[in-house]
Amino acid sequence: MEPVADDAARAWTEPGVYTVAPGVYRIPLPLPNDGLRAVNVYAIIDGTELAMIDSGWALAEARDQLQVALKAIGAELGDVGQFLVTHVHRDHYTQAVVLRREFGNRIALGEHERTALEITANPDRFPVGTQLEQLRQAGADPVVEELRKLFGNAPRADADIWEMPDEWLAEGRRTVLRGRALDVVHTPGHTAGHVVFDDGAAGLMFTGDHVLPHITPSIGFHPGAVELPLRDFLDSLRLVRGLPDRRMLPAHGPVSPSVHARIDELLAHHEDRLARTAEALSEGATTAYEAALKLGWTRRQRKLAELDPFNQMLAVTETKAHLDLLAHQGKISVSEVDGVRHYTAP
């Protein structure tokens, strides 16, 4: 295998190592049974120094593909000096933990992910405990029951993989390699501690899951409770929109020419989604679950019942995030009865 130029005509999920810019390589790694199919990790290399943005899911196949890709640029797994991780989700964080145990690589993670990581590392915690509470507030008991069947009540066997990082990243300039620095920008919304890495000198931004070229990231899929995750996400989009435009190096999807252009699309999408969610109330919905039943999902506008339980959970909690933001903005009213939130259009 040899590095090749990143080509928009090639499927972004195709295994390999792709040159993005001098010393910067995109490496797609596989995901198991996941609609996203792959996650991009990025190698930044300068002489003998190597850093990586994100690490992938701790899978044997992902490890093998990463090892082959690094060999193509003259490096080995043990040469990675540090993993700079955009957020604490499994497909970004866990392979770094496994590799650190073997090679001693260092891991750096945004400081606002600490609470989430502590909760996730608790072996007695139900995998989607916070989301179950949100679903109950949404009146989505059928989804709660399906998730309990899916996850069961057995102790979690993988809690020990959620180890703490070596460094908690604060916002600001951080030296990555000698002569190369990245700006760490806190972008909550997808998770409470998500960060993007801005390489101003090269005109690149590693956007993680904050800005994706083809899909909108899930909002607030986070172990800890967040009051208004959609507000946080939109504010983070506007924050990044106020920075100089960069080439977008996302976690899922192809490298794209403009972060700003995609942010404009995402902001417009959520304005439309807020309007459609409010319309669902006018059509008789009173809870987030009832509203989600009236909305279309994915690009194919599928019905909620057509989704698997995990994606039903994401759909309902995202609908709840939109309704809670509308209520915060004073555009609808909200009340709570027996732990279930009911929303009313003006």
Side-chain angles (χ1 to χ4, degrees):
M1 178 188 293
E2 295 291 335
V4 298
D6 217 344
D7 183 356
R10 187 192 302 262
W12 74 269
T13 57
E14 186 175 335
V17 54
Y18 301 93
T19 304
V20 174
V24 181
Y25 300 90
R26 181 179 69 86
I27 304 171
L29 299 178
L31 299 178
N33 304 317
D34 193 298
L36 293 173
R37 297 178 54 206
V39 58
N40 291 321
V41 301
Y42 295 90
I44 307 174
I45 192 166
D46 182 7
T48 60
E49 288 190 296
L50 171 63
M52 296 208 64
I53 306 295
D54 289 331
S55 70
W57 190 307
L59 301 167
E61 183 182 2
R63 175 199 169 97
D64 291 345
Q65 288 190 20
L66 179 59
Q67 185 172 29
V68 170
L70 291 180
K71 184 177 180 181
I73 58 174
E76 299 178 354
L77 294 172
D79 294 330
V80 180
Q82 56 189 325
F83 288 97
L84 303 172
V85 183
T86 57
H87 62 294
V88 76
H89 284 167
R90 185 184 298 270
D91 55 329
H92 298 257
Y93 190 72
T94 56
Q95 183 153 247
V97 173
V98 172
L99 293 176
R100 180 176 64 178
R101 292 172 180 174
E102 185 173 353
F103 298 106
N105 326 77
R106 292 180 60 81
I107 304 173
L109 180 69
E111 62 184 351
H112 298 286
E113 296 284 53
R114 185 192 294 266
T115 298
L117 191 51
E118 290 173 346
I119 294 171
T120 306
N122 179 359
D124 298 323
R125 172 186 168 273
F126 192 77
V128 289
T130 299
Q131 283 68 39
L132 292 187
E133 179 56 34
Q134 292 177 358
L135 290 171
R136 293 188 189 97
Q137 289 181 338
D141 287 344
V143 182
V144 171
E145 292 307 311
E146 289 302 315
L147 287 171
R148 288 205 172 276
K149 292 177 187 177
L150 180 65
F151 287 102
N153 295 310
R156 293 172 57 230
D158 68 342
D160 66 340
I161 203 171
W162 300 100
E163 296 176 0
M164 296 296 122
D166 300 284
E167 178 185 352
W168 294 106
L169 291 170
E171 282 199 294
R173 182 68 54 89
R174 187 190 189 286
T175 299
V176 178
L177 306 175
R178 284 190 297 269
R180 189 166 203 144
L182 302 178
D183 287 319
V184 181
V185 183
H186 180 217
T187 52
H190 180 59
T191 69
H194 192 291
V195 297
V196 303
F197 298 101
D198 184 19
D199 187 345
L204 307 173
M205 183 177 287
F206 302 90
T207 59
D209 281 6
H210 178 55
V211 188
L212 299 171
H214 293 154
I215 61 174
T216 59
S218 60
I219 303 301
F221 181 52
H222 192 67
V226 178
E227 183 182 6
L228 292 169
L230 181 57
R231 177 194 61 184
D232 296 342
F233 178 64
L234 297 177
D235 285 348
S236 296
L237 287 177
R238 296 184 186 104
L239 171 67
V240 174
R241 184 61 172 82
L243 300 175
D245 200 9
R246 311 292 193 206
R247 287 178 69 202
M248 179 170 69
L249 279 58
H252 307 283
V255 171
S256 301
S258 171
V259 173
H260 284 185
R262 182 54 180 157
I263 287 177
D264 290 344
E265 293 174 351
L266 288 169
L267 290 170
H269 164 80
H270 281 287
E271 281 301 313
D272 177 72
R273 199 65 174 176
L274 286 164
R276 290 179 183 270
T277 305
E279 287 175 7
L281 300 184
S282 301
E283 295 169 0
T286 65
T287 66
Y289 179 60
E290 292 170 350
L293 288 169
K294 293 181 178 294
L295 295 168
W297 298 98
T298 76
R299 290 185 173 189
R300 288 181 269 176
Q301 293 296 296
R302 297 166 67 187
K303 295 296 185 182
L304 186 70
E306 298 178 65
L307 305 180
D308 62 78
F310 185 84
N311 281 294
Q312 287 184 10
M313 172 191 70
L314 295 180
V316 173
T317 55
E318 184 164 316
T319 303
K320 179 179 177 294
H322 282 77
L323 288 167
D324 286 342
L325 181 57
L326 287 167
H328 176 75
Q329 294 171 340
K331 296 178 179 178
I332 62 174
S333 301
V334 59
S335 60
E336 193 164 305
V337 179
D338 296 329
V340 177
R341 290 186 182 180
H342 293 266
Y343 304 89
T344 306

